[in-house]
Amino acid sequence: MIRILIADDSPPVRRGLRTLLGLNSEWQVCGEAVDGIDAVEKAHQFAPDIILMDFSMPQMDGVQAAREIAKSGTDIPILLFTRNLSPQIMELARSAGLRGAISKSEISKIPYAIKAFQRGETFFYAS
């Protein structure tokens, strides 16, 4: 069972991701975070196998949260997703050590990203 943490400040987005992930019986949503600080706390609390992280969140953005999570010495694959995935955000995600990034308009690609992470690969998808 792959345990996945969802971090997004939008309840409809979290519900949609939970529904999408629920289509695969090998994946389990172990928790949800509502902002960057909450994501860091829940990553430590739940020790997920993968984190789906929104870029724009209150308190702390997704890249900052990913850096904080990495400071604890855990190497959790993190997929950054954002409304507007620019080349600058893509490079920021790569330089921060995130394993992938996609636009929210490509949310249907998340299962492909999770499968890539399971194989030890990265998944940066720009439409």
Side-chain angles (χ1 to χ4, degrees):
M1 184 71 63
I2 302 296
R3 297 166 31 90
I4 302 170
L5 174 65
I6 299 170
D8 194 291
D9 58 318
S10 168
V13 171
R14 290 195 309 272
R15 276 193 304 275
L17 287 171
R18 185 177 280 277
T19 299
L20 177 66
L21 297 171
L23 298 174
N24 188 316
S25 62
E26 296 177 12
W27 300 339
Q28 173 191 26
V29 175
C30 63
E32 296 181 11
V34 299
D35 61 41
I37 292 173
D38 193 29
V40 173
E41 292 170 359
K42 298 265 173 77
H44 294 136
Q45 179 183 355
F46 296 125
D49 299 305
I50 294 173
I51 300 174
L52 305 181
M53 182 93 68
D54 184 19
F55 176 69
S56 298
M57 292 188 290
Q59 309 273 348
M60 179 185 298
D61 72 37
V63 172
Q64 292 170 314
R67 286 185 173 134
E68 287 299 313
I69 291 166
K71 284 181 184 178
S72 68
T74 58
D75 188 25
I76 303 169
I78 298 174
L79 177 68
L80 187 73
F81 56 95
T82 183
R83 227 174 271 296
N84 300 308
L85 183 60
S86 67
Q88 294 82 6
I89 292 175
M90 185 103 61
E91 182 52 39
L92 182 62
R94 284 182 198 273
S95 68
L98 281 84
R99 301 266 182 88
I102 64 169
S103 167
K104 283 188 176 180
S105 66
E106 299 291 343
I107 214 144
S108 65
K109 304 287 188 221
I110 286 178
Y112 298 103
I114 292 170
K115 290 175 184 175
F117 290 171
Q118 288 178 283
R119 294 187 303 268
E121 300 169 4
T122 61
F123 190 89
F124 289 89
Y125 187 85
S127 54

